[in-house]
Amino acid sequence: MEDKLKLQGDVFITVKDKDGNVKEERHEKNLVVSAGLNFICDRMEGTSEAVMSHMGLGSDTTAAAAGDTDLGSLLGSREALDSTTVSSNTITYVASFGAGSATGTVTEAGIFNASTAGTMLCRVAFSAIGKQADDTMSVTWVITLTAS
């Protein structure tokens, strides 16, 4: 008997204007990077690695690659996660980027275990989303582990 594990990330992005009207909604697939896979193994062995705690948005258009360890071009600073929820074989991370935070043309996102440096679990690159200074953006990242 042979088990094969598969990680899948689904990223849901919502941008709202200053009045709370939805300007754009997206569903993207992500890449669990090599450092993220190592992180998972480290956490299975012990607690030497801090848990995932922050999300960042950036403006680099380079496709996500297994060797990525950070965003290509961070917009502003990483935001602390609003929530982390584990249910069966999924973990869901949610972060909010308020007015004035990560303003610009957003083309990438990542999950990290620190506000600076640290380990990146996942990265996703996508077509441009314009986030104006008074817009808000919420990102819900669902990672599912399945065996086949």
Side-chain angles (χ1 to χ4, degrees):
M1 177 180 266
E2 181 179 318
D3 284 334
K4 293 183 181 181
L5 296 177
K6 178 183 175 190
L7 286 173
Q8 176 178 317
D10 292 289
V11 184
F12 302 91
I13 303 167
T14 303
V15 180
K16 295 181 180 179
D17 66 19
K18 64 181 178 180
D19 298 319
N21 300 309
V22 174
K23 291 175 61 175
E24 188 162 356
E25 289 183 308
R26 293 274 187 90
H27 174 208
E28 305 286 345
K29 300 287 187 185
N30 86 171
L31 174 67
V32 178
V33 297
S34 296
L37 295 173
N38 291 335
F39 166 84
I40 292 166
C41 290
D42 286 347
R43 289 294 295 182
M44 289 173 72
E45 182 272 331
T47 58
S48 62
E49 291 266 4
V51 298
M52 292 296 140
S53 58
H54 288 77
M55 198 177 294
L57 299 176
S59 60
D60 192 312
T61 58
T62 304
D68 290 346
T69 58
D70 203 347
L71 295 178
S73 183
L74 183 66
L75 288 169
S77 59
R78 296 178 189 167
E79 293 288 330
L81 296 174
D82 296 332
S83 66
T84 301
T85 307
V86 176
S87 176
S88 298
N89 60 333
T90 65
I91 186 164
T92 302
Y93 300 105
V94 178
S96 300
F97 297 83
S101 174
T103 299
T105 302
V106 181
T107 56
E108 61 177 336
I111 299 174
F112 302 87
N113 69 348
S115 60
T116 60
T119 300
M120 180 168 65
L121 177 65
C122 303
R123 178 171 177 260
V124 62
F126 44 84
S127 59
I129 297 174
K131 183 178 178 297
Q132 304 302 315
D134 56 359
D135 290 344
T136 61
M137 180 181 284
S138 64
V139 181
T140 301
W141 210 307
V142 181
I143 299 174
T144 305
L145 178 63
T146 57
S148 59

